[in-house]
């Protein structure tokens, strides 16, 4: 495989294979940062990969009070699902179980209608939790952009939820693999990578801490298994696995996986992530995972990403 | 000597139709069955009469007076036609036509009495009946802010309290009568129960009654000075009545809250109809104020405060009502028919009335005729002229002529017709 | 004195006289249609290329009296969207669902209608009705006296005193100057005075212990034995209740055997049948019962009906059916007026909007048209909107287009809630009225049903009421329904009593039309008995004296009595 | 925006009905045309130019048109009525029906307005910098729908029946409000920063409607029940809107204020809210 050098690190001239998903952004606010973060953490729990989770979700960023609709500390959470329906169902469940239940929180749409490809009417179902005592709140009718909220009475007070959330045709499956000489340098590079990625709006990294150490490939020798460990990149079987792709001198590989609202954001996030990784000594090579373009419609080339950035 | 029987009384909204009027020559010498006010109206119809047509207080011929009146009105930009509740429907129809020809405003006395009743009706409706239903069925009668012992003297006897009816054969004993008012009136002696409500507190009491009828638990110890126990007892009575009715008067329409008081009363009655039969009826004052509303409505779509300035009727009490037009110094001429605004309107309105040319048609000398540029005496409808009048409940009756008017005295209708004809001529509309 | 008039060269549709679009002249003289006019000073109305018919006769409308006036009073918000300025010839007013009196006359005349029946006159309110009728210019009018819940009716029915009932009906028609016997929700309105209703033909009226069945059959018999020109004019029980087509058919079965008066087959007229032809159990699963009702009507010649066609608009409902109006108020939350009339009747008024996306409304719309198209004999089904209940009468041209053009129906149907396709048969009906049938359902048949021999046709001796519409039937096709609508909205000419009152759609003269009423002599002995009865009950139960009850001659400046010969025992 | 200047010259004592003072009417005309637009005084027809000096520029589209009325016009009715776009600026008082039934655009009245200002409004912004009288944002007689959208800001006091039969939209009053505010209300929001007189929310059905009393209230109807006192999150949204969009700085004071929540009108089975700021 062709490769090129970037910041002294070998980058394979390959591409990450992104695929289409629907993505949304929810802004959770609360009385203080603590409760906003707790709600966000709960809501994005167990949402790493649609292989076995109902959706992919993660915190995009924390939002300072000045920028939230109600002036309280906020967190932007993004969620991705394979269709509008498979996005709104987990949204409803997770908002219902993790945010509605969490003291002092409120939720707001994070993708304005003019930027969205569609609006998901989560409030239409969520409101029923009010058992008839929910109140429809309208703002701006006839003189500003019309906004709709539901006010649902809860024991602690009132849960305020915006009725509709913008959804976009988004890109999931952005990734790159960092291969380092040892665990310390690889982990360090990966963490820096994630930090950098979080500076790019519209992108999340749904795996633990943004990182996936296992990787995965489609299928397995066991017929009942949909996916299994990414054998070509496992250093411990570097020799015994015939087509291993772990380079000489590399003893640890960590995958960075990211989803974004659009292709440019994902590309940009990959670029800043890769660049941050290359700055850590001990990183041997960086590559990306794809399936020959059979799985997803986005070919997110590493070279293009770095060149554009 | 001639005895006219079944004569309709042209005094109050009761329009009692059982009067016996005895006439000798041209004089009424006796009135039977009538209340004191009615008798006095018949017996004294000749007193204090406006003697002859006058312009600026000086005697004039009828033709001259009509000519002058037509001139004043035809020249005006914002003429007001007002009064009409104490004359017959023929005159009312003509008054509407006059206003239309003039491009002016026609308004009647409901503007200052039961106008709020109409505004409420237009908001929420009403549930009403002719008075016979009350006589025949009502076992609960509520008088709210009305005192028939002083304003509608035979109401209690003929319709609402005393009469034996089809399903109330016991008469008074078959009915429970409640009076609600802000001060003790003679109704306290008539009623089985007198509920004293704080001044300006009717609205709250009506709302609470309605809520209680809906089954809402009332927490307040008292509302508008009425203890909770009294309220709950009243609600129990209302829901338990076979047929109940509320008669309301100016105590409700002209007190704090005005049309909203009636709105709330209508709401209470509507609510009660989910449980039993309940109705309400306004106690209209002038004998044909209901007719004034009726005629104006069928001719224009609106009951009072109708503006023809744009060639078609427009309606807006508060804007086209007489008191507002006068107080805002908007009207520049007025014709008053069978009414005495100079005695009854607020001072600021009267002040402007005194400034503008006024034409008045009346039988008697009144403060209004005295400030009028043109005053034209007319025959008394229901005594000296026939016509139609509408009872407070909307029943139309034929007014009779029991004596001939003095020579040359025309009815309101005839004078208005003559004025319309002259105005048309002045505006070049003849032919 | 009016001059003679020749309506020249139009396509004349005069179904009663078998004229089906022949090109011919109509001669008018002395307020009548004549065979020919002599002399040169006859004026000519050029009708060439146009449709000529007798003036329209509306058999069921609400144009005068306390009910419509309550509607007017209640709805200033309705008036302001349709204002009518005064002109050189006409008074100003307001239109839409509760038009003022003057405008009512003008608008009917502008559509080529020259006679309109006020379908509900409470006797105690008759004076009021006549006052308003006298303020409705141009058109001829008549009021139908409400008798189905009258104390005396119930009393005579209870006593089984048919002769007493007949005498009372005859006297009432005189006292109110009424033209026909109107029955509204028999028994239900009396029960409403206790806040109740009747649920079917055999429920009992409180205190009187008589059933709607007895009331209807007795009044129908009395009506026919009195030889009144029109049959009973019946607003059935259970109006607006899904499944009520059964009540309607049951009612028709009940009157079936009653011998009709001489000269006609019919013994009952069902009003605004659309509201009484609902199938299903509730408003959620309501469907059309029109085909079932139509089937019954096709098989039974004693029945006539009018449509009560629904129009999709904001309108004002008003009926003598108090309990129904309360129900409607509770269904809609709209403002509600109830108005009871002692000893006799009642009424209710509620604003209502028929909406295209409302499944029930879409079905109701279809039911009216199904009835019109599935009843084969146009002489027994008449066009009305039950103005303003189904919709304001200004929409008659729209109804005409639906009757005459399947395309017009389809175009409307496509905008409606889909239930109209599934729960009615309208989409499968291909019938389209021709001009002859239209003339039948709008004038010839209605006049005939009313027993007005001088109306609804253009034969010699008929009243000189003629309408001319600017549409050429030789080139018109059903796809051109918009042109049709336009032509019937504004008549090229309307001629009333031989005088041109509308020209090019504008009113040019406003004579006062006649008020028709029926005079039926009562044998003296019976009348004496009746008066004794009336006097006693008036004294005890009414709030006005009997002497002040009958409408005085002064209220009938243009009264036109028709004499009915009764059969007495 | 192009500015058309109308300077009142000699206004008669009888009100002038000038619904032509509206961007939709003047846009696309010439100054001469505008000057000869019909206005009504009593039963007579006049032209605009008789009562106003007409100067300035005219736009093709209403949305590009601003009308400045340079003076006080208490007796001029229907200014800005039924406007759909553009802007009207009255540098004085305006007569009855100012901005009534407007559906878009902005109208500013520097002085006070008479009855029915913004009545049956469905969109746009009407700002009155002094008092407004009765029926502001209300329904005309018989109509079951008053305001259905848009925003009215009254910087002075407001008269009775403010927002009657309101269905949607927003009204903010900086001063005091007379009785029967929000009567028959069925949606929409009303904010009262001064003192609210009694009988507010009478016969209100609710449907998401509420009245927020920030400056105190004389008396709550007995058919409203007190539910709780809390700090509603949603109120923060409105207070920020008042402060940031409408420039009402005082609103910031209520960002952290607890509110007493009342619900009614139980007489009509309603669930309208009255929220009273705790002092």
């Amino acid at each position: 495989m062709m490769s090129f050098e970037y910041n002294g690190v070998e980058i394979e001239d390959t591409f990450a294979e992104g695929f289409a998903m629907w993505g949304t952004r929810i802004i959770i606010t609360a009385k203080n940062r603590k409760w906003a973060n707790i709600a966000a953490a709960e809501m994005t729990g167990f949402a790493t990969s649609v292989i076995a989770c109902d959706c992919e979700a993660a915190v995009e960023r924390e939002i300072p009070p000045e920028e939230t609709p109600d002036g309280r500390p906020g967190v932007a959470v993004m969620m991705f699902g394979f269709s509008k329906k498979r996005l709104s169902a987990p949204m409803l469940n997770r908002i219902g179980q993790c945010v509605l239940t969490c003291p002092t929180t409120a939720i707001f749409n994070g993708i304005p209608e003019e930027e969205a490809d569609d609006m998901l009417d989560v409030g239409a179902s969520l409101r029923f939790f009010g058992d008839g005592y929910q109140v429809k709140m309208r703002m701006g009718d006839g003189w500003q952009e019309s906004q709709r909220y539901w006010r649902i009475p809860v024991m602690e007070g009132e849960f305020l939820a915006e009725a509709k959330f913008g959804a976009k045709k988004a890109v999931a499956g952005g990734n790159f693999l960092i291969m380092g000489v040892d665990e310390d340098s690889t982990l360090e590079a990966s963490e820096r990578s994630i930090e950098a990625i979080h500076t790019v709006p519209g992108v999340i990294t749904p795996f633990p801490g943004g990182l996936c150490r296992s990787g995965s490939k489609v299928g397995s020798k066991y017929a009942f298994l949909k996916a299994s460990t990414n054998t070509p990149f496992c250093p411990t079987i570097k020799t015994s696995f015939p087509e291993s792709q772990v380079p000489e001198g590399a003893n640890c590989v960590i995958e960075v996986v990211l989803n974004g609202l659009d292709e440019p954001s994902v590309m940009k996030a990959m670029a800043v992530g890769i660049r941050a990784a290359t700055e850590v000594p001990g990183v041997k090579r960086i590559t990306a995972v794809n399936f020959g373009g059979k799985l997803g419609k986005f070919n997110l080339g590493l070279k293009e990403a770095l060149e554009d950035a | 000597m001639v005895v006219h029987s079944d004569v309709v009384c042209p005094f109050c909204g009761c329009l009692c139709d059982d009067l016996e009027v005895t006439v000798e020559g041209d004089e009424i010498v006796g009135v039977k069955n009538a209340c004191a006010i009615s008798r006095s109206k018949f017996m004294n119809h000749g007193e204090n009469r406006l003697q002859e047509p006058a312009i600026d207080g000086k005697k004039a011929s009828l033709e001259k007076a009509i000519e002058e009146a037509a001139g004043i009105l035809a020249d005006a930009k914002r003429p007001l036609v007002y009064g009409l509740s104490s004359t017959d429907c023929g005159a009312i129809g003509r008054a509407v036509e006059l206003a239309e020809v003039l491009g002016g405003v026609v308004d009647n006395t409901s503007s200052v009495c039961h106008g709020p009743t109409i505004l409420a009706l237009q908001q929420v409706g009403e549930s009403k009946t002719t008075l016979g239903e009350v006589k025949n069925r009502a076992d609960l009668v509520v008088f709210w802010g009305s005192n028939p012992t002083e304003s509608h003297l035979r109401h209690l006897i003929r319709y609402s309290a005393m009469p034996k009816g089809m399903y109330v054969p016991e008469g008074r004993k078959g009915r429970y009568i409640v009076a609600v008012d802000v001060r003790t009136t003679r109704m306290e002696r008539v009623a089985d129960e007198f509920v004293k409500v704080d001044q300006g507190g009717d609205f709250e009491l009506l709302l609470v009654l309605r809520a209680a009828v809906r089954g809402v638990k009332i927490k307040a110890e008292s509302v508008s000075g009425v203890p909770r126990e009294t309220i709950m007892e009243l609600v129990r009575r209302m829901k338990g009545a076979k047929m109940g009715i509320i008669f309301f008067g100016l105590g409700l329409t002209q007190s704090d809250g005005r049309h909203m008081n009636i709105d709330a009363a209508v709401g209470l009655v509507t609510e009660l109809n989910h449980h039993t039969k309940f109705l309400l009826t306004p106690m209209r004052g002038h004998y044909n104020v209901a007719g004034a509303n009726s005629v104006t409505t069928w001719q224009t779509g609106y009951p009072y405060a109708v503006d023809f300035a744009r060639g078609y009727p427009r309606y807006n009490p508060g804007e086209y009502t007489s008191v507002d037009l006068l107080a805002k110094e908007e009207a520049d001429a007025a014709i008053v028919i069978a009414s005495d605004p100079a005695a009854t309107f607020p001072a600021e309105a009267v002040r402007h009335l005194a400034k503008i040319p006024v034409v008045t048609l009346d039988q008697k000398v009144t403060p209004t005729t005295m400030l009028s540029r043109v005053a034209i005496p007319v025959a008394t409808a229901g005594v000296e002229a026939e016509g139609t009048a509408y009872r407070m409940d909307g029943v139309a009756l034929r007014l009779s002529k029991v004596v001939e008017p003095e020579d040359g005295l025309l009815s309101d209708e005839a004078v208005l017709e003559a004025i319309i004809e002259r105005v048309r001529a002045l505006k070049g509309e003849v032919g | 004195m009016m001059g003679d008039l020749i309506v020249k060269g139009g396509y004349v549709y005069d179904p009663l006289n078998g004229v089906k679009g022949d090109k011919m002249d109509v001669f008018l003289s002395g307020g009548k249609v004549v065979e020919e006019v002599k002399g040169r000073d006859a004026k000519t109305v050029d009708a060439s290329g146009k449709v000529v018919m007798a003036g329209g006769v509306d058999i069921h409308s609400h144009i005068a009296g306390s009910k419509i006036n309550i509607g007017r009073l209640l709805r200033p918000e309705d008036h302001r969207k349709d204002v009518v300025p005064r002109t050189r010839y006409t008074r100003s007013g307001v239109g839409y669902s509760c038009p003022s009196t003057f405008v009512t006359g003008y608008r009917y005349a502008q559509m080529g209608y020259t006679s309109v029946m006020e379908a509900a006159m409470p006797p105690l309110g008759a004076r009021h009705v006549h006052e308003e009728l006298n303020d409705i210019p141009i058109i001829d009018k008549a009021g139908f006296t409400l008798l189905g819940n009258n104390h005396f009716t119930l009393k005579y029915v209870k006593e089984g005193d048919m002769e007493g009932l007949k005498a009372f009906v005859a006297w009432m028609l005189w006292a109110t100057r009424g033209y026909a016997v109107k029955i509204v929700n028999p028994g239900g309105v009396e029960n409403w005075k206790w806040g109740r209703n009747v649920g079917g033909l055999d429920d009992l009226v409180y205190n009187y212990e008589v059933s709607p069945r007895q009331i209807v059959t007795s009044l129908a018999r009395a009506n026919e034995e009195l030889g009144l020109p029109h049959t009973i004019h019946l607003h059935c029980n259970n109006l607006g209740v899904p499944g009520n087509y059964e009540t309607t058919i049951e009612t028709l079965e009940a009157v079936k055997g009653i011998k009709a008066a001489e000269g006609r087959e019919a013994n009952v007229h069902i009003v605004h049948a659309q509201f009484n032809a609902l199938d299903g159990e509730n408003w959620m699963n309501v469907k059309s019962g029109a085909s079932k009702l139509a089937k019954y009507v096709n098989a039974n010649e004693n029945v006539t009906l009018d449509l009560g066609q629904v129009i999709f608009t904001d309108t004002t409902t008003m009926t003598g059916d108090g309990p129904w109006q309360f129900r409607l108020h509770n269904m809609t939350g709209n403002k509600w007026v109830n108005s009871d009339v002692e000893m006799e009747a009642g009424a209710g008024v509620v604003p209502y909007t028929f909406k295209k996306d409302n499944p029930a409304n879409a079905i109701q719309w279809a039911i009216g048209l199904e009835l019109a198209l599935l009843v084969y004999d146009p002489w027994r089904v008449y066009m009305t909107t039950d103005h303003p209940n189904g919709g304001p009468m200004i929409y008659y041209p729209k109804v005409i287009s639906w009757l005459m053009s399947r395309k017009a129906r389809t175009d409307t149907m496509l905008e409606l809630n889909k239930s109209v396709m599934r729960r009615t048969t309208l989409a499968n009906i291909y019938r389209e009225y021709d001009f002859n049938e239209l003339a039948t359902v709008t004038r010839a048949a209605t006049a005939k049903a009313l027993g007005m021999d001088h109306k609804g046709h253009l034969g010699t001796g008929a009243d000189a009421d003629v309408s001319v519409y600017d549409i050429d039937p030789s080139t018109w096709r059903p796809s051109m329904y918009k042109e049709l609508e336009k032509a019937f909205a504004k008549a090229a000419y309307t001629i009333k009593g031989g005088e041109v009152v509308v020209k090019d759609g504008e009113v040019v003269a406003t004579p006062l039309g006649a008020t028709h009423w029926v005079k039926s002599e009562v044998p003296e002995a019976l009348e004496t008995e009746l008066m004794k009865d009336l006097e006693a009950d008036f004294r005890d139960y009414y709030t006005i004296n009997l002497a002040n009850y009958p409408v005085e001659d002064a209220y009938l400046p243009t009264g036109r009595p028709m004499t009915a010969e009764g059969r007495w025992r | 925006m192009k500015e058309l200047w109308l300077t009142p010259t000699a206004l008669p004592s009888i009100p002038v009905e000038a619904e032509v003072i509206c961007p939709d009417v003047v846009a696309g005309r010439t100054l001469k045309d505008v000057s000869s637009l019909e206005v009504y005084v009593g039963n007579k027809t006049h032209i605009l130019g008789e009562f106003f000096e007409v100067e300035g520029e005219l736009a093709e589209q209403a949305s590009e048109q601003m009308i400045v009325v340079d003076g006080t016009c208490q007796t001029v009715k229907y200014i800005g009525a039924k406007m759909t776009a553009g802007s009207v600026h009255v540098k004085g008082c305006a007569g009855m029906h100012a901005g009534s039934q407007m559906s878009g655009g902005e109208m500013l009245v520097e002085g006070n307005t008479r009855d029915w200002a913004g009545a049956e409004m469905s969109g746009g912004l009407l700002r009155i910098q002094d008092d407004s009288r009765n029926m502001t944002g209300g329904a005309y007689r018989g109509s079951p729908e008053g305001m259905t959208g848009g925003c009215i800001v009254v910087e002075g006091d407001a008269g009775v029946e403010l927002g009657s039969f309101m269905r949607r939209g927003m009204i903010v009053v900086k001063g005091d409000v007379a009785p029967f505010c929000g009567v028959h209300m069925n949606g929409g929001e009303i904010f009262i920063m001064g003192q609210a007189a009694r009988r507010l929310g009478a016969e209100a059905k609710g449907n998401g409607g509420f009245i927020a009393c920030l400056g105190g209230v004389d008396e709550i109807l007995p058919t409203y029940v007190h539910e709780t006192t809390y700090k509603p999150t949603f109120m923060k949204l409105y207070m920020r809107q008042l402060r940031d969009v409408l420039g009402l700085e005082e609103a910031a004071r209520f960002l952290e204020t607890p509110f007493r929540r009342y619900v009614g009108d139980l007489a009509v089975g309603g669930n309208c809210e009255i929220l009273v700021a705790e002092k």
Side-chain angles (χ1 to χ4, degrees), chain B residues 6-8 17-18 89-90 93 96-97 100-101 118 121-133 135-137 158-159 164-167 242-243 266 269-270 273-274 276-277 279 293-295 297-303 308 310-313 315 387-391 393-399 424 429 431, chain C residues 66 69-70 72-77 79-80 83-88 90-94 98-102 124-125 127-129 131-132 135 151 190 192-196 206-208 326 329-330 334-345 537-549 552 554-555:
Chain B
D6 304 304
V7 171
V8 174
D17 73 331
D18 59 346
C89 291
V96 174
E97 187 178 355
E100 183 183 317
V101 171
I118 294 166
L121 160 89
Q122 289 168 341
Q123 284 185 183
V124 290
E126 66 177 331
S127 176
K128 61 173 188 173
T129 180
T130 68
L131 294 162
E133 284 300 306
K135 164 175 163 171
N136 287 328
R137 294 177 211 257
R158 275 174 64 83
Y159 310 123
K164 295 186 167 109
M166 194 177 281
Y167 303 106
K242 275 195 291 182
M243 193 275 236
V266 171
V269 167
T270 303
N273 271 284
H274 289 277
T276 181
K277 183 76 180 183
L279 302 151
N293 292 145
S294 237
V295 174
T297 301
W298 81 57
Q299 295 199 346
T300 72
Y302 308 114
F308 290 100
R310 303 280 273 259
Y312 52 83
Y315 168 68
T388 314
Y390 285 67
R391 200 164 71 179
D393 57 355
V395 173
L397 287 165
R398 184 85 185 149
L399 299 171
R424 276 185 194 282
E429 280 184 13
Chain C
S66 66
N69 219 29
I70 289 169
R72 295 185 190 112
L73 183 62
L74 184 66
R75 303 216 58 199
E77 79 280 15
H79 305 327
R80 62 180 150 106
V83 295
V84 183
R86 71 187 286 251
T87 70
R88 198 172 147 208
T90 60
R91 297 283 302 268
S92 71
V94 294
C98 304
S100 55
T101 49
F102 306 125
L124 193 61
R127 199 172 280 104
H128 179 176
V129 171
E131 280 222 293
E132 287 197 24
D135 266 350
H151 161 70
E190 168 60 26
W192 173 241
K193 297 199 170 156
W194 299 116
R196 315 282 169 76
Y206 295 107
N207 303 304
Y208 294 95
F326 185 55
H329 156 69
N330 289 327
N334 293 343
K335 51 191 177 183
W336 166 61
V337 175
N338 175 71
S339 173
D340 290 341
V341 180
E342 66 203 58
M343 310 294 290
E344 301 177 342
D537 282 2
F538 260 77
R539 191 176 50 240
D540 292 343
Y541 306 133
Y542 267 91
T543 53
I544 74 171
N545 285 354
L546 182 58
N548 286 321
Y549 190 75
E552 292 82 358
Y555 295 93

Side-chain angles (χ1 to χ4, degrees), chain A residues 211-257:
Chain A
L211 305 179
C212 177
R213 73 160 179 190
S214 63
S216 67
K217 69 172 187 291
V218 181
S220 154
K221 71 188 244 186
Y222 306 108
F224 54 86
L225 215 56
K226 276 193 293 186
S228 57
T229 190
N230 202 353
T231 38
F233 290 102
C234 296
T236 55
I237 52 170
K238 185 157 69 176
T239 322
S240 41
F241 186 77
E243 290 124 46
S244 178
Q245 295 183 35
V246 182
E248 253 339 282
N251 292 305
C252 181
V253 181
I254 293 178
E255 184 176 359
V256 172
V257 181

Side-chain angles (χ1 to χ4, degrees), chain C residues 334-402:
Chain C
N334 293 343
K335 51 191 177 183
W336 166 61
V337 175
N338 175 71
S339 173
D340 290 341
V341 180
E342 66 203 58
M343 310 294 290
E344 301 177 342
V349 181
V350 176
Y352 189 83
T353 305
F354 289 99
K355 294 190 183 117
K356 288 183 174 169
D357 56 2
N358 176 321
N361 292 163
I363 291 164
Q364 285 183 284
W365 170 81
I367 292 176
L369 296 172
E370 282 179 283
L371 288 171
L373 299 163
L374 294 175
V375 172
Y376 302 129
D377 181 1
W379 290 92
R380 296 202 285 124
V381 57
Y382 317 130
M383 192 190 88
T384 67
T385 61
D386 184 17
H387 164 78
N389 283 298
M393 49 78 171
I394 44 174
Y395 288 98
Y396 278 2
K398 198 144 202 108
V399 183
I400 290 172
S401 76
W402 288 325

Side-chain angles (χ1 to χ4, degrees), chain A:
Chain A
M1 182 173 292
M2 301 281 286
S3 66
F4 59 95
E5 197 171 294
Y6 183 83
N7 240 1
V9 175
E10 184 190 2
I11 316 280
E12 284 193 0
D13 186 12
T14 181
F15 61 93
E17 192 165 339
F19 43 92
M21 273 183 125
W22 279 85
T24 185
R25 182 191 282 129
I26 298 155
I27 294 167
I28 303 172
T29 66
K31 185 182 176 69
N32 52 37
R33 170 128 326 276
K34 173 182 165 186
W35 288 106
N37 285 352
I38 288 174
E42 289 295 335
M43 188 174 165
T44 55
F46 186 55
T48 54
S49 157
V50 285
I51 293 175
C53 304
D54 56 352
C55 67
E56 297 181 3
V59 169
E60 181 196 17
R61 65 175 184 120
E62 289 185 353
I63 306 181
E66 312 81 82
E67 290 175 34
T68 60
D70 60 0
R72 303 190 301 170
V75 179
V77 162
M78 284 170 55
M79 289 179 69
F80 292 80
F82 268 123
S83 64
K84 281 182 279 182
K85 213 172 148 192
R86 283 161 78 180
L87 175 58
S88 50
M91 269 173 87
L92 182 64
N93 285 336
R94 286 164 181 268
I95 291 169
Q97 297 304 308
C98 309
V99 188
L100 181 143
T101 54
C102 180
T104 78
T105 55
I107 52 166
F108 302 95
N109 174 27
I111 302 178
E113 193 164 357
E114 60 271 18
E115 289 171 26
D117 293 318
D118 206 344
M119 298 301 284
L120 305 178
D121 194 352
V122 177
S125 307
L126 194 63
R127 67 190 163 119
F128 292 121
F129 190 75
D131 202 22
Y133 292 90
Q134 66 274 21
V135 178
K136 187 171 198 171
M137 168 177 154
R138 309 180 177 93
M139 275 184 95
D141 277 347
W143 66 288
Q144 273 201 305
E145 201 178 322
S146 166
Q147 287 169 282
R148 294 286 180 276
Y149 300 87
W150 288 100
R151 293 166 48 202
I152 299 170
V154 288
M155 298 194 309
E156 167 256 7
E158 215 170 53
F159 176 51
L160 178 68
E162 189 150 0
K164 291 186 178 179
F165 288 81
K168 278 180 75 113
K169 287 175 190 152
V171 180
N175 68 73
F176 53 90
L177 267 52
I178 302 168
M179 311 180 195
V181 291
D182 54 15
E183 189 191 276
D184 285 353
S185 58
T186 315
L187 191 60
E188 164 82 16
S190 305
E191 284 175 7
R192 287 218 205 161
S193 206
I194 293 299
E195 236 171 79
I197 287 169
H198 277 183
T199 62
V200 181
V203 175
I204 54 161
T205 55
F207 279 89
L211 305 179
C212 177
R213 73 160 179 190
S214 63
S216 67
K217 69 172 187 291
V218 181
S220 154
K221 71 188 244 186
Y222 306 108
F224 54 86
L225 215 56
K226 276 193 293 186
S228 57
T229 190
N230 202 353
T231 38
F233 290 102
C234 296
T236 55
I237 52 170
K238 185 157 69 176
T239 322
S240 41
F241 186 77
E243 290 124 46
S244 178
Q245 295 183 35
V246 182
E248 253 339 282
N251 292 305
C252 181
V253 181
I254 293 178
E255 184 176 359
V256 172
V257 181
L258 46 98
N259 295 349
L261 288 179
D262 50 36
E263 198 178 347
S265 318
V266 175
M267 290 286 268
K268 187 174 175 211
M270 281 168 60
V272 299
I274 291 169
R275 186 192 301 147
T278 55
E279 279 159 12
V280 177
V283 173
K284 300 288 291 180
R285 187 194 282 180
I286 289 174
T287 186
V289 181
N290 64 58
F291 308 91
K294 277 178 267 175
L295 210 63
K297 66 175 197 180
F298 301 101
N299 293 344
L300 309 160
L302 300 186
K303 194 168 186 182
E304 291 85 341
L306 289 164
E307 278 169 3
D308 288 351

Side-chain angles (χ1 to χ4, degrees), chain B residues 352-364:
Chain B
H352 186 66
L353 196 66
K355 274 189 229 159
I356 59 174
V358 176
V359 178
T360 300
L361 275 54
D362 210 324
Q363 308 112 37
K364 309 249 179 178

Side-chain angles (χ1 to χ4, degrees), chain B residues 102 200 259 263 310 314, chain D residues 17 19 43 161 184 199 203:
Chain B
L102 293 173
H259 68 279
D263 180 308
R310 303 280 273 259
R314 292 189 299 178
Chain D
E17 294 186 4
E19 60 269 32
N43 53 20
E161 294 187 42
H184 282 288
R199 292 174 175 170
E203 298 193 41

